[in-house]
Amino acid sequence: VLFRSRTQVSQPQGSGPNWMRICLWVAALQCLIWGPFIILAPQKSAVAYGYAEPPQDLFLWQGMGLIITLYGVGYAIAGTDPLRHWLTVAVGLLAKILGPIGMTWAVLQGQTSSGVLKLIPVHDVIWWLPFALIVIRGIRCQLRPAEPEPK
């Protein structure tokens, strides 16, 4: 290796505490139920989400269901080794922060009814703290100084 820093990036040791895996598997299960529900029953899911009337372009709503389903797959994969897959969790955390901001903005602009905000605490806010803790721990593990190489 031509260039070697004093602090080398190392793989996280272990897969983290059990609560991390359980948290990610529960998040995966939530997405893997909710996402297909949106895809298979777009009108019913829109009403359940708080829309007074289903969106005009149901295929876009179903596309959101596909994205939610894919997040579920990502959380399931991250649940196998949370500290190794902390970047996946970080992307999920960003979505769970930015999604509610966007939805709140749409309500404030009068683009949709405030009823759409009712599921944000259950689908997004409850994950902020555990996902943030997983991301912070993953970053710390990755930036931990590498063990000296045996000579």
Side-chain angles (χ1 to χ4, degrees):
V1 179
L2 295 174
F3 300 100
R4 195 173 285 199
S5 67
R6 298 184 107 201
T7 304
Q8 294 178 346
V9 175
S10 64
Q11 288 294 333
Q13 301 299 314
S15 59
N18 278 339
W19 73 261
M20 290 181 179
R21 287 187 292 283
I22 292 168
C23 170
L24 290 167
W25 289 334
V26 171
L29 184 62
Q30 181 187 42
C31 291
L32 292 172
I33 291 171
W34 187 248
F37 175 56
I38 293 172
I39 295 167
L40 298 173
Q43 289 97 348
K44 288 182 182 180
S45 64
V47 171
Y49 209 86
Y51 283 97
E53 295 181 24
Q56 293 288 331
D57 298 323
L58 286 180
F59 72 95
L60 292 175
W61 183 246
Q62 289 172 306
M64 181 56 71
L66 176 61
I67 292 169
I68 291 169
T69 302
L70 292 174
Y71 272 109
V73 172
Y75 298 147
I77 293 168
T80 65
D81 193 345
L83 298 180
R84 177 181 218 145
H85 299 291
W86 67 269
L87 277 172
T88 301
V89 181
V91 170
L93 177 60
L94 283 173
K96 291 191 174 297
I97 291 170
L98 296 176
I101 291 171
M103 194 60 74
T104 302
W105 180 256
V107 168
L108 292 174
Q109 296 300 307
Q111 296 172 343
T112 191
S113 74
S114 62
V116 300
L117 301 177
K118 73 180 184 180
L119 290 179
I120 287 176
V122 176
H123 286 281
D124 298 301
V125 176
I126 64 167
W127 301 112
W128 291 357
L129 180 61
F131 281 22
L133 293 173
I134 293 169
V135 169
I136 290 167
R137 180 111 176 242
I139 291 169
R140 285 183 180 158
C141 286
Q142 190 165 13
L143 295 179
R144 183 180 310 135
E147 299 292 324
E149 294 181 22
K151 293 185 179 188

